Amino acid sequence: MSAEATRSLIARAAATPDVFRAALTNVPVQDRDAWLDLVFELDGLPDDGPALPRGCVPYLPCSAEALLQVVEHAGVAASDVFVDVGGGVGRAAALVHLLTGAGAIGLEIQPGLVRAARDLSARLNLPRVAVIEGDAASLAAYMMIGSVFFLNCPFSGARLDAFLANIEPIARTREIRVCCVYLSLPPRPWLRPAATPSGELAIYRSV
């Protein structure tokens, strides 16, 4: 896809998210991630830096197919705010925004990945996609506008417990959805699992 065609597609998707969804789903499933990286001008995986805390998982992008399932089964809409916990280079936040029109916030602790995510948002001209630098487990407490929290297995153990404790007050104000890829949440009385299409994805709704 040429740079001009990419800019045209992104511009149309900003006004009508169905345009981008149709373009993505018209690509064979096995080729969707390569197509997305071409459109987003992403070239390979960035190296993790010394800012990655012990116990956190090195950056690995989530598949486009899993994110399509998140959008469908969590019912992500333009009125939502999608919070990517451990946002990496901003790929998931940008994709969900383009698929749905939802606002999106990436929380990322590694400065190099934060810069890459901000560059991506600026390059694609996505003003409703923001990136905040810091420990996602702690920053989650301040995401009062968040309605969909997404975790592509960024951490476990004590950090996961801290994250859940920090979003519980948000969940007590309204229903939120917590979507996890390759991660099961420890039981919490204020969260209930929802039906999902595969073992790869788990979706929880607050009670």
Side-chain angles (χ1 to χ4, degrees), residues 7 25 29 31 49 53 72 79 87 97 107 115 144-145 163-164:
R7 285 193 294 270
T25 54
V29 172
D31 298 328
E72 178 182 355
S79 57
H97 169 69
L107 308 179
R115 287 193 296 272
M144 298 302 296
I145 61 173
F163 163 76
L164 291 172

Side-chain angles (χ1 to χ4, degrees), residues 67 70 76 80-87 92-93 96-97 102-108 128 130 132 136-137 139-152 154 163 167 170 174 176-180:
L67 288 164
V70 166
V76 184
D80 282 309
V81 175
F82 176 87
V83 181
D84 187 4
V85 180
V96 170
H97 169 69
I105 302 171
L107 308 179
E108 175 55 52
R128 294 197 68 204
I132 301 176
L139 286 175
Y142 303 98
M143 298 296 107
M144 298 302 296
I145 61 173
S147 54
V148 180
F149 291 82
F150 174 71
L151 298 89
N152 183 28
F163 163 76
I167 66 168
I170 303 172
R174 65 188 186 283
I176 65 172
R177 287 140 286 166
V178 183
C179 306
C180 306

Side-chain angles (χ1 to χ4, degrees), residues 47-119:
D47 293 329
D48 290 293
L52 182 69
R54 179 176 296 181
C56 289
V57 177
Y59 172 66
L60 186 65
C62 183
S63 71
E65 188 62 22
L67 288 164
L68 280 166
Q69 291 185 6
V70 166
V71 166
E72 178 182 355
H73 293 278
V76 184
S79 57
D80 282 309
V81 175
F82 176 87
V83 181
D84 187 4
V85 180
V89 301
R91 187 175 183 268
L95 176 56
V96 170
H97 169 69
L98 289 169
L99 289 172
T100 66
I105 302 171
L107 308 179
E108 175 55 52
I109 198 168
Q110 299 193 66
L113 300 186
V114 170
R115 287 193 296 272
R118 289 174 177 165
D119 286 347

